Amino acid sequence: MDRSDLELVLAVRQHGSLVMAAKALQLAPSAVTKRLAALEARLGLRLFQRTTRRVSPTAEGDTLCERAVHLLRAFDEVESELRERQAEPAGPIRLAATFGFGRLWVGPALADFQARHPGTQVQLQLTEQLPDLAVDGFDGAIWLWNAPGERATEWVSRRLAGNQRVLVAAPRYLQQHGTPRQLQDLADHACLVVRENGGGPGQRFDHWRLQREGESTVRHTPVRGPLSSNSGEMVRDWCLSGHGIMLRSLWDIAPQLASGELVRVLPAYAMPDAHIHWLAPYRPQVPRRIRLLVDFLAQRFADEPWRFRPALVAAPPGSPRKR
């Protein structure tokens, strides 16, 4: 049985007439009659009941037609994919990302991808609220958390990179106020708090969820300080100026850690965070340009390029401890 046999039985079922099926397939009626008879003889089954008024599928004919729909669709998808592989990917790509990570890391990556594939047109929308990707016409999002619960079954998710929030301070602050040696010491320090996401019900900004490397226990550590803001950039500026200790994502402070403007505090601890994900509405056939982009981003971020490991150290052991 070949592709033309599947197209034949579907045409006969659709039109209910050998003459009309022949016309749709641009064949002579006699050719359709002979081919259908030959197929039934080869299978040893009667696929259609024929009367003077109508041709109707038998139970076996219906089963074959249902399978034929899926098989022909698979043929089309294979042919489309093979054609795509021979051609340079082209077309629009519409994406969403958060402001900070999008500006620092996603934007440069997309510029490099577009230069590699000049037939693509990439549009990036920076936002702090995850859009309804399908409704708003996005091909996908590069997001710092996984899909929300109500979308988890509707969207495709792929992990692109890990993400940690770590404790940091300017060396000047630690020289003046001492270096915390254990979590309880944070209560004696000025902690700079980011009040993100609008402060929804039950959201606590005065507790940092910290986890020791290699342990599963999350410790809720109370913190306090005279300065807080809904702007992470503002809190980072305060921290750089020596006003306190901050909990911030590694990707956001990579240059400052590399230069020594900031150093890790209690480096064995970090906030357990969701990873960086590719999120996209489910579609049965993903365009090649999108597949190439996701693979490119996964490779780009696989080694977490914001991790400048030599700089990720605590303050010098000899610095005084605040009492």
Side-chain angles (χ1 to χ4, degrees):
M1 190 181 304
D2 57 25
R3 182 171 183 169
S4 62
D5 292 327
L6 302 178
E7 292 171 341
L8 173 67
V9 295
L10 285 177
V12 173
R13 184 178 73 165
Q14 179 183 354
H15 295 285
S17 162
L18 298 182
V19 173
M20 295 301 295
K23 185 176 180 180
L25 296 170
Q26 298 182 335
L27 296 172
S30 59
V32 170
T33 301
K34 290 179 181 179
R35 283 178 53 187
L36 180 58
L39 178 60
E40 290 179 325
R42 191 161 69 249
L43 295 175
L45 296 169
R46 192 164 186 81
L47 301 175
F48 291 91
Q49 297 289 356
R50 300 154 176 85
T51 67
T52 55
R53 289 190 170 187
R54 186 163 181 81
V55 178
S56 303
T58 62
E60 293 77 13
D62 259 333
T63 298
L64 176 59
C65 287
E66 292 304 317
R67 295 290 182 89
V69 169
H70 298 290
L71 290 170
L72 289 174
R73 183 179 299 149
F75 276 129
D76 292 339
E77 289 176 356
V78 169
E79 288 183 354
S80 176
E81 182 176 344
L82 291 175
R83 283 194 299 268
E84 272 194 336
R85 289 184 180 183
Q86 294 177 341
E88 172 64 23
I93 303 174
R94 190 162 183 252
L95 305 170
T98 54
F99 276 98
F101 190 77
R103 181 177 59 83
L104 290 174
W105 297 99
V106 177
L110 294 180
D112 289 346
F113 176 83
Q114 199 283 326
R116 182 179 296 187
H117 302 289
T120 60
Q121 302 93 44
V122 182
Q123 177 186 344
L124 175 63
Q125 180 168 320
L126 299 181
T127 174
E128 292 302 337
Q129 297 295 324
L130 180 61
D132 188 327
L133 298 176
V135 172
D136 295 337
F138 287 96
D139 292 299
I142 300 93
W143 213 250
L144 300 184
W145 303 274
N146 209 337
E150 67 273 15
R151 298 295 183 191
T153 59
E154 302 173 15
W155 291 358
V156 174
S157 175
R158 177 175 174 181
R159 182 184 181 276
L160 298 177
N163 179 38
Q164 278 189 319
R165 294 183 188 180
V166 298
L167 296 164
V168 296
R172 180 173 61 177
Y173 173 84
L174 298 175
Q175 290 166 4
Q176 293 175 351
H177 301 279
T179 300
R181 302 299 180 186
Q182 52 190 350
L183 288 183
Q184 295 89 321
D185 294 344
L186 291 175
D188 296 325
H189 283 268
C191 293
L192 306 171
V193 175
V194 182
R195 298 179 175 273
E196 295 177 307
N197 304 324
Q203 188 168 1
R204 295 291 300 271
F205 299 109
D206 57 349
H207 281 69
W208 285 346
R209 297 182 301 109
L210 297 168
Q211 191 172 32
R212 190 179 183 90
E213 185 176 358
E215 296 182 0
S216 59
T217 303
V218 177
R219 309 180 189 209
H220 292 259
T221 305
V223 295
R224 61 183 180 180
L227 296 172
S228 65
S229 174
N230 68 329
S231 167
E233 289 74 16
M234 176 63 69
V235 169
R236 184 181 60 203
D237 291 344
W238 287 334
C239 190
L240 286 166
S241 298
H243 292 295
I245 297 172
M246 169 179 68
L247 183 66
R248 198 73 182 150
S249 290
L250 279 174
W251 58 260
D252 188 43
I253 52 174
Q256 292 80 15
L257 284 170
S259 67
E261 293 176 273
L262 295 175
V263 294
R264 288 281 297 270
V265 172
L266 297 169
Y269 289 92
M271 183 175 177
D273 244 344
H275 300 307
I276 296 161
H277 286 83
W278 165 263
L279 304 177
Y282 171 77
R283 50 169 64 165
Q285 187 173 1
V286 180
R288 180 171 176 248
R289 63 185 182 275
I290 306 299
R291 298 198 307 271
L292 287 174
L293 173 64
V294 178
D295 289 341
F296 175 85
L297 293 173
Q299 183 177 13
R300 177 82 165 230
F301 299 143
D303 294 331
E304 300 174 22
W306 43 87
R307 280 183 174 269
F308 291 90
R309 289 165 178 81
L312 301 187
V313 295
S319 54
R321 177 181 175 181
K322 181 175 180 179
R323 296 184 182 276

